[in-house]
């Protein structure tokens, strides 16, 4: 019985671990449209997902936290601009170009990770990076930035 359930449990684990509460957008213009429609601000993440230790910690310790996931699904429009280095994680040329254009506009120093809270008109309301703090405090920080723009 255990042997027959093992593959099922493994697949269930893989599927559930790949689900994230953040509905990441990868097209900033589309995210702006969504932000305008929903009257929400944008969280823009610049990350080096496969080489940047603080980026990886941010994903694991904050974004994967159940409390943060519950917060994320109802707040903000989430945009990810990833700059992976490993060949197996390489993005399409089109996506890489979009990410570079975003960096030219919002992250000229190419600092990673950078998290920007941006209003629906494209104005930066606040910026942060990885901070060693509980998810609850990180939520509070993002909400503080958002309240400046309203």
């Amino acid at each position: 019985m255990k042997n027959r359930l093992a593959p099922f449990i493994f697949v269930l684990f893989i599927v559930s671990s790949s689900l994230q509460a953040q509905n990441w957008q990868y097209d900033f213009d589309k995210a702006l449209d969504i932000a305008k429609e929903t009257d929400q601000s944008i969280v823009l993440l610049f990350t080096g997902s496969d080489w940047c230790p603080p980026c990886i910690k941010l994903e694991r310790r904050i974004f994967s936290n159940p409390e943060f996931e519950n917060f994320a699904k109802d707040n903000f429009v989430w945009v990810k601009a990833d700059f992976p280095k490993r060949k197996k994680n390489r993005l399409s040329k089109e996506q890489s170009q979009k990410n570079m254009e975003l960096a030219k506009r919002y992250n000229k120093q190419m600092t990673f990770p950078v998290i920007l809270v941006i209003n629906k008109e494209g104005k930066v309301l606040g910026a942060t990076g990885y901070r060693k703090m509980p998810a609850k405090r990180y939520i509070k920080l993002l909400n503080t930035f958002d309240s400046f723009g309203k």
Side-chain angles (χ1 to χ4, degrees), residues 72-84:
K73 65 183 171 187
D74 297 324
N75 298 278
F76 298 104
V77 177
W78 297 85
V79 180
K80 186 181 283 190
D82 195 5
F83 293 82

Side-chain angles (χ1 to χ4, degrees), residues 13-67:
F13 173 76
I14 295 298
V15 170
S16 66
S17 67
S18 68
L19 298 175
Q20 290 187 348
Q22 296 88 346
N23 183 16
W24 291 108
Q25 300 294 319
Y26 298 93
D27 182 315
F28 189 73
D29 292 329
K30 181 179 176 185
L32 276 174
D33 290 341
I34 294 169
K36 289 173 185 172
E37 289 172 18
T38 59
D39 193 31
Q40 291 180 315
S41 294
I42 295 169
V43 172
L44 171 57
L45 168 65
F46 287 95
T47 185
S49 64
D50 65 1
W51 59 268
C52 166
C55 300
I56 294 166
K57 286 179 184 177
L58 180 65
E59 290 275 352
R60 288 184 183 158
R61 294 183 180 169
I62 302 296
F63 293 159
S64 296
N65 177 287
E67 185 174 7

Side-chain angles (χ1 to χ4, degrees), residues 92-106:
S92 69
K93 287 184 181 184
E94 179 185 3
Q95 187 62 53
S96 293
Q97 179 145 359
K98 284 181 182 184
N99 291 354
M100 284 305 295
E101 289 170 12
L102 270 178
K104 287 177 187 174
R105 182 173 177 187
Y106 290 111

Side-chain angles (χ1 to χ4, degrees), residues 50 84-93 95-96:
D50 65 1
K85 289 188 178 179
R86 294 189 181 136
K87 189 175 183 176
K88 69 177 184 173
N89 298 329
R90 190 171 291 151
L91 304 174
S92 69
K93 287 184 181 184
Q95 187 62 53
S96 293

